[in-house]
Amino acid sequence: MKKFKTIFSMFLAMLIMFIALFFVGAIYDTGKNISIETYFFQPNFESDKRPGVPPNHRELGENGVRNRLISKFITEYFYVIPDVANVQQRMSNNSLLYAMTMPSVFNKWQQTIAPQIEKMAEDKMFRTVSVISINQEPTTDNFWRVDYETKTWEKPNDLIETPKIEYGTLFLKIIFEPDEFRINYPHPTKGGAINMEQYLEMGGDPSLVFRFKVSDVTNY
């Protein structure tokens, strides 16, 4: 009787072992059949925040291109990152803001806004800028009202800090030739001029391809 129980126990143990091996093998084979399907989500229309080829100027139309250039200008005018070298570069004659503005506008920014930004950068603050609306002033073809929002994080490395949200309005007088493009651009480091294709291949900002200038800025 004991011998029978021993044989039965051994048989039962082997059966359990084979069943366990079967399920382990089944799970292992299932892993081979797993497929991953990739989906891209486009969060907005900004080319640097979506995959694929960005829309060209014809798809955007004159209004779309102009509004993007204005938004780019507002961002360059106000944004802050905790890096003083960034501010110093933006204050130079090789900056994007310099290229998008007339000398009087750039000098005014250097004297008024830039020192504030530099102090914020020294204090390790971070500020983002979002354009809320862009509307043409009814009294002139060249002035545009731009309403914007800024979010400022004043304390570095504080993950629970609530940003300070502020709203503002600027009136911009712009010069925009939608059908004209820059052919050459000053070389950013070596001097002389390079064509725009070379400029873009070097990582230059596409905003400077367009003939766009801000000739006056006021807040009233």
Side-chain angles (χ1 to χ4, degrees), residues 79-169:
Y79 87 89
V80 179
I81 62 174
D83 182 6
V84 176
N86 169 267
V87 185
Q88 294 173 347
Q89 191 282 325
R90 288 159 66 190
M91 294 175 67
S92 72
N93 291 353
N94 291 326
S95 68
L96 177 61
L97 191 64
Y98 177 83
M100 296 183 75
T101 58
M102 300 296 285
S104 59
V105 173
F106 186 73
N107 292 338
K108 180 180 178 180
W109 176 83
Q110 282 184 315
Q111 296 169 12
T112 57
I113 305 299
Q116 300 173 17
I117 293 176
E118 189 170 29
K119 180 62 170 61
M120 293 173 70
E122 290 175 351
D123 293 338
K124 305 301 181 183
M125 296 186 186
F126 179 74
R127 180 168 70 188
T128 62
V129 188
S130 300
V131 172
I132 300 172
S133 63
I134 301 173
N135 296 289
Q136 188 174 16
E137 284 294 282
T139 57
T140 176
D141 292 335
N142 295 327
F143 266 99
W144 295 80
R145 172 180 174 141
V146 184
D147 299 306
Y148 63 91
E149 173 194 82
T150 62
K151 293 182 179 179
T152 306
W153 286 262
E154 298 180 341
K155 300 177 182 178
N157 302 320
D158 187 348
L159 299 179
I160 63 173
E161 179 189 6
T162 301
K164 180 180 179 181
I165 300 177
E166 297 179 298
Y167 298 92
T169 299

Side-chain angles (χ1 to χ4, degrees), residues 1-10:
M1 186 67 179
K2 289 183 178 180
K3 187 176 181 179
F4 175 76
K5 289 182 178 180
T6 302
I7 295 173
F8 180 76
S9 299
M10 291 176 62

Side-chain angles (χ1 to χ4, degrees), residues 182-185 194-204 209:
R182 297 177 189 266
I183 299 175
N184 297 313
Y185 190 76
I194 56 175
N195 62 52
M196 291 308 300
E197 183 177 352
Q198 292 174 314
Y199 168 77
L200 293 173
E201 287 179 351
M202 293 171 58
V209 172

Side-chain angles (χ1 to χ4, degrees), residues 48-105:
D48 60 348
K49 297 180 181 178
R50 69 174 190 171
V53 179
N56 61 47
H57 68 284
R58 293 184 181 85
E59 294 173 331
L60 292 173
E62 179 179 335
N63 291 340
V65 173
R66 182 193 59 245
N67 288 351
R68 288 192 176 211
L69 292 170
I70 290 175
S71 297
K72 183 67 174 178
F73 168 80
I74 294 294
T75 298
E76 291 291 323
Y77 203 81
F78 287 115
Y79 87 89
V80 179
I81 62 174
D83 182 6
V84 176
N86 169 267
V87 185
Q88 294 173 347
Q89 191 282 325
R90 288 159 66 190
M91 294 175 67
S92 72
N93 291 353
N94 291 326
S95 68
L96 177 61
L97 191 64
Y98 177 83
M100 296 183 75
T101 58
M102 300 296 285
S104 59
V105 173

